[in-house]
Each structure stands twice: as C-alpha cells, then as structure tokens.
Amino acid sequence: MPSNIPGKMMKVAKTLIGKQPAQKKAEKYHFDLYKRYPITLVKGKGAKVWDDERNEYIDALAGIAVNSLGHSHPRIVKAIQKQAAKLMHISNFYYNEPQSNLAEKLVKVSGLDRAFFCNSGAEAVEGAIKLARKYSGKNGRHGNIISMDNSFHGRTLGTIAMGKDKYQKGFAPMPAGFQRVEFNNIKALVEAVDDQTVGIIMEPIQGEGGIVPVSRDFLHKAREICDDHDIPLILDEVQTGIARTGRMFAYQHYGVKPDIVASAKALGSGFPIGAVIAQEKFAAAFDYGNHGTTYGGNPLACAAALETLKVIEEDKICEMARVRGNYLTTRLKDLSTNWPAIREVRGMGLMIGVELDFPGAEVVVEMMKRGVLSNCASETVIRLVPPLIMTKEEIDKVVDVLVESIKEVEGKK
C-alpha cells in the first residue's frame, strides 16, 4: 500500500474527504468510457508515481507498456524541451530533420527498409493493413486479412474487426475483409489461406489476450505461407516492441523477418507517436497521396522517439530488460510452485503475465492499496509491464505486494 498511509486509513480518508477536483471534473465533463481507479496521479520519476495526496506507488504498468525508460527521464525531457523551443509542427508538405533521422534509426534497428509515422498504435495498425490491401490488391488479391482469436490491435473500426468479440459489441456492422483463426493453431491458419488472402497479422505476444507468446513453429509457418502466396506478414509490435521483451522487437527472438511492423507505445517514452515500418517491396505499393497524416512525424514527437532509441542503445536497455525480466520471472515461478492460486507465469523480458485460478480484478485493487500499480488482462491474468529501468529492490517489492494481494483476495473467497 502507499508508503505513508495504511490501506484502511486511505479508504477512510477518501470516504470522508470525497472525490478530488480532477475526479469530479472528469466525471462531469469527460466521456464516461474508463473505469478509473480513485486516485489522481500528479508526478512521476523513474519507476515511481505519486498521487495528489502524496501517496507513492511503484508503477508496474508503465502507462500500459509505454514508459519503458521510466517517468520523466532527464534525456527525454531535455530533448522535448529543446525541440519544443525550436519547432513543433510544420505538416508533411515539408521535410524535417528529426523525422528523417528517426526514419533512418528505425530502419536500422528493425532490419526493414522504410518508415511512416503516425500518432498511435491503432493508427499504425490501420496503416499496416491499408498497405497490405494496396500491395495485394495490385496483385489481384481482394480477400481477407487473417488475424488471430483473442487478439487486440486498437479501438478503431478496422482494428476491432480483427480482435476480440467483446470490443465489437454495439458497433455492427463490422468492416468486411477480415477473418480470425485460433492463435498458435497451424492447421487452422493453413486452412484459412486461399488465393485471395491479403495478409496475415498477429501480435508476437498477445497483450490484452493474457500475455500469450506466439509459438516458434506457428510464426515460422506464417512466414512460409506469406512467402508462398506473396502476401505480407504483419506483426503488431505496438506493445512488444522497443526493448520490452529484451530485443528491440520481439520478432528478433524468433529468427523471422516480417514484411510490415506496427510500432507505438514505448517509441516516444510517453509522447504520442506511432510508426509503420516495412520492407521496400511492400512500402513501394503506396503511391503519392495513398496515405498520410497531419500530425504524424512532427518534429517534437520524432525528437522524443529518436532520443528514446538512443538511450535504449547507449544504456543497454535491451540487456537490462532481459536480465531483470529473468529475475522477475524466476521469482514468480518459484512462488507459483505448489501454490494453486497461480496457474502459470509466462512472457518474455519485462512483459509478464501471472495467470490466476480466479478473476484478478480485486488483486489489482489490493496491489494499488499497497503501493503498486498493475493491470488485469483477460479476466485472470495480472499483467506486469513495468519500466525497464526498474531496480531489483523495486521488483522485489512488486513481487511481495503481489503475493500479499493474492493471499488477501484468497482469504475473502
């Protein structure tokens, strides 16, 4: 629980004082879309954040795998301040140095050939599937893009059409041209592809789906199918990319090169930016005016992303994610032995899921009371995607709090 107020006292204090101004205003003026927790965060530094009542939390969610370098990293702050004082936005009618430099850097770290910039993960995925349609359409293919059951690619109509049913409810009719198959089921994938298939898209690790990694055999088979049919293999690396799994991109663990990659989240260290990265053969399918954006690739966002990639390389953040991820995973797996409450611990680097044998929402609340922020995915999986710069001591506290919280909830059953 927050270090300076015991849990029950914090509950009582909030009951007596009532909701804070930011919470009242949000409930009155903001769309009622988020089931927010009753805290207002006002400050962050490293792996920690503080609320408006001065309670301290370890942020094991990192803005949902966004703040990989922690909050308020001095080099990122300086890069944003410097660029903001110089040039923030000009539109894509003109060249700008941060965008060109970032494109070069992303191409080099991805092993692909060209980059396009947008503002979010959903936009990046939309750009990727649009590029797939353009390429395959030129080759006479006008069928489905194949996605995976239990996947999540964003909240636009196009992206929800590829994902979980629960995100589609109330928004029918869904856009046509999409087909889902069971994740990691090679037979189902082979049977779904025909001479009109446009492309295959998947997350290397399903995030909202419960931190479920793709199997090596399945990904390699998807690569083989795409080569045989001359269609693009699209990887949604929005959550897995930018050092989260211990490599710059998760596909680099598998020895597979995709044709199109969607990136966002950690790319800007909290500053909104997304990217579509592609091999030349596919990027060349776009003609002038086929795609574009007003804000995407603006100098300010690109400066933040460029500095992020420099810090990751210079400070060996990928290695840090591997080492600390191994430590966290080992601790959790050791604890799970002979403890039925934990069904499985899985993931890669510092993208870890702890699957429980009961719904995890209450565990998240108990963790928050004890000063650790986390998240529950797919009903029963505690998702841990902390800043990659988290210390061993902070990791130990996260584990200790998780254990206490699971026991607390178990005791109520």
Side-chain angles (χ1 to χ4, degrees):
M1 79 153 300
S3 57
N4 53 343
I5 300 182
K8 291 182 180 178
M9 286 178 61
M10 187 172 81
K11 273 188 173 180
V12 172
K14 287 189 175 293
T15 300
L16 292 175
I17 296 171
K19 294 176 181 177
Q20 299 302 308
Q23 296 173 29
K24 291 179 179 178
K25 288 180 181 179
E27 291 183 3
K28 183 176 181 179
Y29 298 112
H30 196 280
F31 275 44
D32 189 15
L33 289 168
Y34 305 112
K35 290 183 178 179
R36 302 183 199 256
Y37 296 102
I39 59 173
T40 301
L41 301 179
V42 296
K43 176 184 169 184
K45 188 70 176 176
K48 295 179 179 178
V49 291
W50 289 264
D51 68 17
D52 58 356
E53 295 179 352
R54 300 182 182 180
N55 296 308
E56 179 184 286
Y57 306 83
I58 292 178
D59 187 2
L61 185 60
I64 316 180
V66 168
N67 300 306
S68 291
L69 298 180
H71 297 272
S72 303
H73 191 287
R75 284 182 58 177
I76 307 304
V77 170
K78 184 177 180 180
I80 290 172
Q81 290 174 333
K82 182 179 178 181
Q83 187 61 48
K86 186 178 180 182
L87 185 68
M88 289 194 289
H89 178 74
I90 56 171
S91 92
N92 284 299
F93 284 123
Y94 316 101
Y95 296 98
N96 76 75
E97 288 183 359
Q99 184 187 105
S100 298
N101 292 337
L102 178 59
E104 179 185 34
K105 175 64 76 173
L106 267 183
V107 161
K108 288 182 177 179
V109 299
S110 68
L112 303 180
D113 300 309
R114 288 187 181 270
F116 166 83
F117 299 108
C118 49
N119 308 286
S120 68
E123 284 182 63
V125 174
E126 285 277 2
I129 61 177
K130 189 174 176 182
L131 179 57
R133 287 198 181 283
K134 188 66 190 295
Y135 177 84
S136 294
K138 284 185 172 182
N139 294 329
R141 289 175 171 266
H142 304 284
N144 292 324
I145 290 176
I146 297 174
S147 63
M148 305 298 133
D149 284 342
N150 218 33
S151 63
F152 181 84
H153 297 288
R155 302 277 191 161
T156 63
L157 278 173
T159 53
I160 66 173
M162 297 188 291
K164 291 183 176 183
D165 290 337
K166 76 173 189 176
Y167 295 113
Q168 298 178 9
K169 289 180 180 177
F171 299 105
M174 284 293 103
F178 300 101
Q179 178 184 357
R180 289 181 304 182
V181 300
E182 183 181 355
F183 190 45
N184 283 330
N185 185 326
I186 292 176
K187 183 174 182 290
L189 181 62
V190 171
E191 291 176 350
V193 177
D194 59 26
D195 61 3
Q196 287 298 304
T197 300
V198 168
I200 299 173
I201 184 170
M202 70 182 78
E203 304 156 88
I205 303 175
Q206 292 190 334
E208 285 291 317
I211 315 298
V212 181
V214 65
S215 72
R216 181 172 292 273
D217 288 346
F218 187 78
L219 185 55
H220 276 263
K221 187 62 178 181
R223 176 69 280 172
E224 178 187 317
I225 291 170
C226 288
D227 289 340
D228 290 345
H229 289 266
D230 190 23
I231 56 176
L233 174 62
I234 308 164
L235 293 185
D236 179 346
E237 291 258 12
V238 169
Q239 188 166 167
T240 54
I242 317 300
R244 170 60 52 188
T245 66
R247 300 291 295 270
M248 190 63 79
F249 293 98
Y251 63 79
Q252 292 165 336
H253 292 282
Y254 291 86
V256 167
K257 180 184 282 191
D259 300 305
I260 307 172
V261 172
S263 179
K265 284 192 181 285
L267 181 58
S269 289
F271 201 98
I273 185 170
V276 182
I277 320 164
Q279 296 203 52
E280 178 67 34
K281 170 183 174 180
F282 295 91
F286 271 159
D287 298 317
Y288 289 117
N290 279 168
H291 198 51
T293 170
T294 297
Y295 288 110
N298 67 75
L300 188 55
C302 290
L306 185 61
E307 192 66 17
T308 295
L309 294 178
K310 288 180 179 178
V311 171
I312 287 172
E313 289 187 329
E314 293 168 15
D315 291 357
K316 297 180 170 56
I317 300 298
C318 287
E319 181 181 352
M320 195 177 294
R322 285 195 298 272
V323 171
R324 293 177 184 178
N326 287 339
Y327 176 73
L328 176 54
T329 300
T330 299
R331 278 216 61 191
L332 291 169
K333 285 186 175 180
D334 287 346
L335 287 166
S336 68
T337 304
N338 299 318
W339 190 10
I342 298 180
R343 286 180 176 171
E344 186 181 8
V345 177
R346 55 181 178 259
M348 193 179 291
L350 276 170
M351 184 174 180
I352 298 170
V354 181
E355 185 174 0
L356 307 176
D357 73 342
F358 56 86
E362 285 189 62
V363 174
V364 173
V365 173
E366 292 298 328
M367 290 180 71
M368 184 183 70
K369 292 178 188 176
R370 292 165 172 78
V372 174
L373 304 183
S374 62
N375 168 251
C376 183
S378 285
E379 307 297 331
T380 60
V381 180
I382 302 301
R383 173 167 45 180
L384 301 175
V385 284
L388 307 182
I389 49 84
M390 181 174 277
T391 66
K392 180 177 177 291
E393 292 72 25
E394 289 167 337
I395 290 172
D396 286 336
K397 180 174 179 181
V398 169
V399 174
D400 292 344
V401 165
L402 175 60
V403 170
E404 291 173 14
S405 300
I406 292 173
K407 289 180 177 178
E408 177 72 20
V409 175
E410 273 191 309
K412 297 177 183 178
K413 291 170 64 177

